Amino acid sequence: MKKIYYLFALLLLTGCKESAEIKEDSAPTFGIVIHGGAGTLLRSEMTAEMDAAYRKILTQAIQVGYSILKQGGTSQEAVEKTIHVMEDSPLFNAGKGAVLTADETIELDASFMNGETLDAGAIAGVKHVKNPISAAIAVMEKSPHVMLSGAGADQFAQLHGLEWVPSEYFFTERRINSLKRVKEAELNRQSLIEQSKDPFIVQQRMGTVGCVALDQHGNLAAGTSTGGMTNKKWNRIGDAPIIGAGTYANNATCAISATGWGEFFIRSVVAHDISALMEYKGLGIEQAAYQVIHEKVGALGGDGGIIGIDSKGNIAMEMNTTGMYRAHINSQGELTVKIYKDE
Ligand code: ASP
């Protein structure tokens, strides 16, 4: 009798274990990755206070998106709300704290793509929308177009009730000083390539923000927001608002947001190229990202990085610079925050 009792207890225990495993396996995978710009990031150039401030805001931002995803919210909402935190922080080159143009004005670019529908929206050269990522989403949802620019884009955003601020809202002391420094370098006939080797200039230039997410419904989304490059002229537009270059999302492959020297990212069609390598060649996200950043962007002489997530929750955080502000949270809630490449 005792034997039968033990056997029964054993069977019960094994059964419980199995059902617990099945439950764990069938839990939907989701995840979120963010960046706050890539460039020449050296420990010697960073104070302990700055290091801590960046890690703190990256953590705050990603937790906003993570809690949306955890509660079953959409990847679109997670990307938008996470980017708002970084756009509102003066530490990044997006929204408040964006870099200045040669005319000492602000011109903001942003884009968003929905991986389920392949709908996309972008704005370039706006001066008044407080949160450019929301303007990009509004273009996607409320206009028949994909990309609006300049005063028309600002007008469109205002028409659709997005928060409007005077340009002065975006200005910070730090960016005013870095514009002076970059202009001095230009007066000294330092070429863009030479400037890109000056850690101070590169660090001032960087700070574009981006977010990619996979929600519990299996949908991917990607968004990128930036002030572009310090001292930009002639209404220059970089890769950030260009779908396929700075931003791309497709449920069949991955969601990507890029940061770096925009001209090279446009020429390498970075975000779509990573997706295409996955779709047509069957590469994994890490391998695809490595190939595009090192063998395409790097080979052309450009620098920067990407963040990405695929439809299974695998991620990539690839760069050919010494650092990229970045963070990730997986389905289990495990948080990773990094700045330097060798962390
Ligand atoms: N990619 C941005 C641009 O070229 C700048 C950056 O990410 O640092 O406008």
Side-chain angles (χ1 to χ4, degrees):
M1 183 66 194
K2 234 182 184 177
K3 255 190 195 162
I4 294 176
Y5 174 74
Y6 280 132
L7 196 69
F8 182 67
L10 194 72
L11 275 173
L12 210 69
L13 270 173
T14 332
C16 282
K17 192 171 168 268
E18 265 174 14
S19 68
E21 271 169 8
I22 288 167
K23 210 172 160 203
E24 221 170 74
D25 281 354
S26 60
T29 304
F30 62 99
I32 182 164
V33 193
I34 60 173
H35 72 75
T40 312
L41 271 170
L42 303 172
R43 285 184 176 82
S44 55
E45 302 261 328
M46 184 85 89
T47 63
E49 291 73 34
M50 284 303 270
D51 185 294
Y54 274 108
R55 288 181 203 266
K56 189 172 165 202
I57 190 79
L58 286 168
T59 305
Q60 279 171 2
I62 199 162
Q63 267 160 357
V64 167
Y66 176 75
S67 66
I68 292 170
L69 296 173
K70 197 174 174 208
Q71 286 160 30
T74 64
S75 51
Q76 176 169 323
E77 193 190 350
V79 166
E80 181 180 17
K81 299 284 162 56
T82 300
I83 289 184
H84 281 180
V85 177
M86 294 189 282
E87 285 179 337
D88 294 346
S89 160
L91 290 180
F92 301 105
N93 171 19
K96 186 166 185 65
V99 300
L100 304 185
T101 70
D103 297 333
E104 292 167 32
T105 61
I106 289 280
E107 289 175 4
L108 307 168
D109 304 334
S111 66
F112 176 85
M113 186 157 182
N114 180 317
E116 182 191 11
T117 57
L118 303 185
D119 284 337
I123 48 99
V126 297
K127 295 172 189 285
H128 296 291
V129 195
K130 180 169 174 267
N131 292 109
I133 191 66
S134 294
I137 292 174
V139 171
M140 176 181 86
E141 291 182 333
K142 295 171 181 155
S143 87
H145 309 298
V146 168
M147 192 174 196
L148 300 181
S149 71
D154 265 319
Q155 218 179 351
F156 172 84
Q158 201 177 13
L159 201 70
H160 288 282
L162 294 184
E163 194 171 344
W164 191 99
V165 288
S167 263
E168 292 69 42
Y169 161 81
F170 298 107
F171 283 66
T172 55
E173 195 70 27
R174 172 186 174 197
R175 300 303 189 186
I176 294 167
N177 291 337
S178 65
L179 179 65
K180 279 190 198 137
R181 201 39 218 276
V182 174
K183 282 191 165 176
E184 274 163 26
E186 196 181 45
L187 273 176
N188 295 337
R189 297 191 181 281
Q190 232 181 309
S191 70
L192 268 182
I193 300 266
E194 278 165 346
Q195 286 179 37
S196 76
K197 287 179 188 139
D198 180 331
F200 177 87
I201 290 176
V202 176
Q203 201 174 356
Q204 299 310 309
R205 177 192 90 189
M206 53 179 281
T208 291
V209 306
C211 178
V212 295
L214 167 68
D215 64 29
Q216 297 197 38
H217 318 285
N219 293 323
L220 292 167
T224 311
S225 180
T226 189
M229 287 171 87
T230 306
N231 200 32
K232 64 186 182 181
K233 303 181 179 79
W234 310 300
N235 303 114
R236 176 262 188 195
I237 296 168
D239 60 317
I242 298 182
I243 297 300
T247 303
Y248 191 73
N250 183 343
N251 274 6
T253 54
C254 62
I256 302 288
S257 169
T259 174
W261 195 340
E263 279 67 14
F264 292 91
F265 279 67
I266 295 173
R267 290 165 61 202
S268 305
V269 206
V270 166
H272 182 264
D273 210 41
I274 295 171
S275 169
L277 283 172
M278 293 175 70
E279 188 169 5
Y280 304 135
K281 280 186 111 181
L283 296 196
I285 189 165
E286 276 191 290
Q287 213 186 342
Y290 183 90
Q291 201 162 311
V292 175
I293 290 300
H294 298 276
E295 292 163 26
K296 289 192 81 180
V297 176
L300 288 176
D303 63 357
I306 64 95
I307 50 159
I309 188 163
D310 72 11
S311 45
K312 294 188 181 67
N314 300 308
I315 66 150
M317 300 197 270
E318 194 59 60
M319 74 205 84
N320 70 348
T321 49
T322 54
M324 176 167 71
Y325 298 104
R326 59 202 186 279
H328 167 227
I329 306 187
N330 63 15
S331 311
Q332 286 74 48
E334 290 157 351
L335 167 73
T336 313
V337 182
K338 292 183 178 178
I339 297 180
Y340 310 102
K341 186 178 183 168
D342 59 9
E343 272 183 73

